[in-house]
Each structure stands twice: as structure tokens, then as C-alpha cells.
Amino acid sequence: MANQYERISTDLRRQITSGELAPGDKLPAETALADHYGVSLPTLRQGVGVLQAEGLIEKQHGRGTFVRRRPKSVTRTNDRHQWEKDRAREPEDVRRKTGATEHDTGLVINDLIFGAEYDQVPAPAELADLFGIEEGAILLERTYRTRYREERTPIHLVRSYLPLSLISGNPDLLRADSEPWPGGTQNQLYTLGIELDRIVETFRARPPTPDESEELGLPVGVSVVVLRKTSYDTDDRVVEVSEVILPGDRTELVYTTKLNRW
């Protein structure tokens, strides 16, 4: 009956919001909870499923059901790009102190665990057209995962593309062990004499893939926001394209547009 599973979800929700059940606490086994509430296992699972859909609890394979720790929230603003450009020409010791993720989260560099994977891949038609190169020309594909040290899941997933012909003048840019690069992509391009003129960002929301849902630790029903970032240099060339997968339950996008006065 509906009132039975609602009674279960209401009581467990109360325990979680009051702190009686704290983040990271393990819930009793399903059979024990079913006995406690005097319901069948299907009814118990229905009540627990409500809380899982709300993001209050999470099931960990082979371990049980836990009160979900609220992931670190991220606020991404469009002033980050000018901040990165201003920093791109700073001395290395200044650039090493902080990065874009710290800028978005308020964390410090020691709070983060960073991972980068590099691969060389042929350009599909869409990216070849954007970069103005032949389809099949080689791109450097960079995959980034950064997570808060106290959490199991990354803050977001990033895949970035640069034409190999554009960056081959600096061999250090081809090495994943050079990451995290102080000053990020804008400084990397600066080492090649490339200055960015503008960055175009487009957003769309969609359901996560099963892999994205698992890796980002998304509750059932939470969408991801897909950010496509296209960077143009002062010669109006596209020099970098990246796709950022942002979890919808912990990301706030803030864009301020300054309007000229009459």
C-alpha cells in the first residue's frame, strides 16, 4: 500500500534531515528494516527507493545502503575565462598556487586529486570541420578527472581536443605527466604564441549514460549538463574544443552579461 512505503520514506527522511542518521552512516539490512516497519521486502524497497531518487541515500554494490554525503557544490561563472587569461602570463610560482577547479569550488590545491589521460585520435568530421583540418587528421585527446579528496566521485568529466599540428612545437604539451599544467590550457597555448580572443559555450541537458551515472555517483533521475566549449584565437581559428559533463545535482551555472548604457 502507498501509505506503507510513504511511512517508511518519511521516517527515514526525518532521521537523515535531523542528523540521527549522519552522512556516511550505513542503513540496516533490508530484512531488518522490513521487520522493523512490519512490511514486505518489496514495500520496504519502494520506500527506500524514494529516498534514493531524492539523493538522500545511495546503494554501494556489495557494501549496502548508506546515507549519501552531499557532494561538493560547484559554481561556474563566465568570468573564469578572463581570470584564466589574466593568469596565463603570470610567473610559474603564481600559476601553481591555484587552478580553475579551485576557482570554481573554493577549495585549495591540496584538497584535490587530479588525473589526466592523453591519447592521439583521428578527427571525426564534426571536429575536423570546426578546426579547419582534414577529417582523420590527428588530434590530441585529453581526458581529465578531478575529485575532492574527501569524495569518491569526480567533480566533473572533461574531454579536450587540440590539433596535433597546432601544438607539436612544444613537446611538453604532448605529455600527460606534465599535468596538472600551471595556468591550464590558456598558458599551454601561450607557450606557442597563441592568445585567445573568445570562448563560445553551449549547454544542453540530457540523461546520463550508465557509465556517467556510476562514475559521477548520480542519484536516479538526475540529469547531466553537457557543456561544449570552443576556444578561438585572435586569428579567428578554433584552437581547442572541450566537452565537460557536469552533474546536475551539484553544479550551478552563473552567467552575468554587462549591458552597455544608453
Side-chain angles (χ1 to χ4, degrees), residues 38-236:
V39 298
S40 65
L41 276 176
T43 300
L44 183 280
R45 287 169 181 158
Q46 196 173 5
V48 169
V50 171
L51 300 183
Q52 187 177 8
E54 293 175 0
L56 293 176
I57 63 173
E58 61 179 351
K59 293 188 175 182
Q60 298 180 17
H61 183 69
R63 297 191 60 213
T65 303
F66 295 81
V67 178
R68 186 169 180 247
R69 298 181 188 275
R70 182 67 181 169
K72 179 69 178 174
S73 61
V74 176
T75 300
R76 186 183 179 104
T77 70
N78 54 334
D79 66 3
R80 75 197 305 266
H81 304 307
Q82 186 62 55
W83 178 81
E84 287 182 287
K85 183 171 182 176
D86 292 342
R87 199 170 59 107
R89 295 186 296 172
E90 293 284 356
E92 183 174 340
D93 62 326
V94 174
R95 287 184 277 113
R96 282 195 179 278
K97 290 178 181 177
T98 188
T101 301
E102 296 94 293
H103 179 269
D104 292 345
T105 61
L107 298 172
V108 298
I109 197 164
N110 289 336
D111 290 330
L112 299 170
I113 296 177
F114 180 86
E117 299 171 13
Y118 278 27
D119 196 8
Q120 296 186 20
V121 299
E126 180 198 9
L127 289 180
D129 185 57
L130 274 173
F131 284 120
I133 59 179
E134 292 185 3
E135 183 176 352
I138 301 301
L139 301 175
L140 179 67
E141 178 186 73
R142 308 178 300 175
T143 303
Y144 299 120
R145 290 173 175 82
T146 306
R147 68 176 175 87
Y148 181 28
R149 188 174 295 277
E150 295 184 6
E151 296 176 358
R152 298 181 299 108
T153 58
I155 293 169
H156 49 223
L157 306 175
V158 182
R159 186 164 285 114
S160 164
Y161 296 94
L162 297 159
L164 194 65
S165 58
L166 180 74
I167 59 172
S168 56
N170 183 351
D172 287 341
L173 301 186
L174 307 180
R175 297 169 41 201
D177 60 4
S178 296
E179 299 282 4
W181 186 282
T185 297
Q186 290 214 43
N187 178 265
Q188 291 174 322
L189 294 172
Y190 172 65
T191 68
L192 300 166
I194 296 172
E195 177 187 357
L196 293 192
D197 173 72
R198 67 190 186 279
I199 294 172
V200 177
E201 294 180 300
T202 60
F203 299 87
R204 62 186 175 90
R206 62 163 171 78
T209 66
D211 286 346
E212 290 167 348
S213 185
E214 181 178 0
E215 186 164 8
L216 292 169
L218 297 176
V220 176
V222 172
S223 296
V224 294
V225 177
V226 182
L227 161 62
R228 165 66 72 89
K229 181 169 73 77
T230 306
S231 300
Y232 293 79
D233 73 358
T234 52
D235 292 324
D236 209 34

Side-chain angles (χ1 to χ4, degrees), residues 15-54:
Q15 294 181 54
I16 293 169
T17 55
S18 69
E20 188 177 337
L21 285 172
D25 282 355
K26 185 177 181 180
L27 269 62
E30 288 183 340
T31 51
L33 281 174
D35 287 345
H36 174 74
Y37 289 109
V39 298
S40 65
L41 276 176
T43 300
L44 183 280
R45 287 169 181 158
Q46 196 173 5
V48 169
V50 171
L51 300 183
Q52 187 177 8
E54 293 175 0

